[in-house]
Amino acid sequence: MSKNKSLLLLMLVIALGSACKSRQYSRNNKQIEKDAKKDNPSPISYTTVSYIDAFKGIAIEEMNKYGIPASITLAQGILESGSGASDLAKYANNHFGIKCTSDWKGKAYYKDDDQRDDCFRVYKDPRESYKDHSEFLKRKRYAALFELDKNDYRNWAIGLKNAGYATNPKYPDLLINLIEKYQLYQYDQSESEREKLAREDKVFKEINANIPNEKKLYTPVNVAPKDPPASLENGKYHVVQAGETLYKISQLYKISVDDLKALNQLSDNNIKVGQKLMVVK
């Protein structure tokens, strides 16, 4: 076979594999959406004002725990979820665009973001998303922000951008404009020097404890570890896609390579595109 033909064949295999994965992600999302509609058949359609009213309580709770201004949290929620109107917010209860990581134990919703079909966390309710937002910020790159007063929304907005939270150079202005337009600063609270020191001590202990595990805790993965969006034939068989290995498939379905080989009577690790592998007994 000529080099050009081989290249064309490889490109075709990759394209087919990509199309298959996109169909799997689409089926996964439709199931997530179906479950969300079943759990909440009459979802709330928020205005920005009603969104603020709905989530100011949890934003204040998180502020009092960690020192993140409630105004900042609410402004980020408004901006990133479209005041609760985005598909991520409606179906995945994900108001801050937090992605799947290797330690994520829940389901996933897939949509294009930094890459095609990025993996986003699905929460049981929006409050979980707000709490996870605080956990997301408790790492070394954002540590200096927790030294700010918990009503210093301007420097929090600027600090988030400088620490790499967003690539948009206007991100601080977007947050500050929302805070001032909707007077979100009214939910921020001052604290005494004693309260501030006690809060900082607690937060920095947690940040320092996270540092050895930051790569695992915060590096996005392509597929949710517990809930891979795979369509199994007859509920048992995985169809091998381009670029997959036995190890990768074993990680996808939380099964050892040896068990995978035993289930399929494989004498070695060689597999081919289109091959059907039993992954469920």
Side-chain angles (χ1 to χ4, degrees), residues 63-69 143-153 155-156 189-205:
M63 173 182 66
N64 289 333
K65 283 183 184 177
Y66 304 114
I68 306 162
L145 297 177
F146 291 92
E147 295 180 27
L148 297 170
D149 291 340
K150 66 179 186 179
N151 58 358
D152 188 357
Y153 66 86
N155 281 319
W156 258 91
Q189 298 164 4
S190 60
E191 56 191 339
S192 68
E193 187 65 23
R194 183 177 179 181
E195 289 171 333
K196 186 172 187 290
L197 289 172
R199 172 183 60 76
E200 287 177 354
D201 184 57
K202 174 190 174 185
V203 173
F204 286 120
K205 281 181 180 177

Side-chain angles (χ1 to χ4, degrees), residues 157-250:
I158 295 166
L160 283 169
K161 169 63 178 67
N162 291 341
Y165 188 95
T167 56
N168 186 344
K170 295 184 178 180
Y171 192 72
D173 293 333
L174 292 172
L175 294 181
I176 292 168
N177 288 342
L178 282 169
I179 289 168
E180 296 182 346
K181 178 179 180 180
Y182 294 101
Q183 300 179 6
L184 301 180
Y185 48 75
Q186 67 183 293
Y187 305 116
D188 296 341
Q189 298 164 4
S190 60
E191 56 191 339
S192 68
E193 187 65 23
R194 183 177 179 181
E195 289 171 333
K196 186 172 187 290
L197 289 172
R199 172 183 60 76
E200 287 177 354
D201 184 57
K202 174 190 174 185
V203 173
F204 286 120
K205 281 181 180 177
E206 294 181 16
I207 289 174
N208 288 333
N210 280 343
I211 288 174
N213 300 312
E214 279 198 356
K215 185 173 182 181
K216 177 181 179 182
L217 290 172
Y218 304 116
T219 301
V221 295
N222 294 328
V223 178
K226 189 179 178 182
D227 190 45
S231 177
L232 298 180
E233 288 198 11
N234 299 322
K236 290 185 177 183
Y237 297 96
H238 172 84
V239 180
V240 177
Q241 306 298 315
E244 289 185 329
T245 63
L246 275 184
Y247 176 75
K248 186 174 181 180
I249 294 169
S250 74

Side-chain angles (χ1 to χ4, degrees), residues 18 33-34 52 57 79 102 104 108 117 132 139 145 147 160-161 166 200 203 209 219 222 232 238 242 248 252 264 278:
S18 177
E33 292 165 12
K34 182 179 178 181
I52 293 164
L79 184 61
S102 61
W104 177 240
D117 292 321
D132 212 17
R139 50 175 154 163
L145 297 177
E147 295 180 27
L160 283 169
K161 169 63 178 67
E200 287 177 354
V203 173
T219 301
N222 294 328
L232 298 180
H238 172 84
K248 186 174 181 180
L252 192 62
N264 294 279
M278 183 183 291

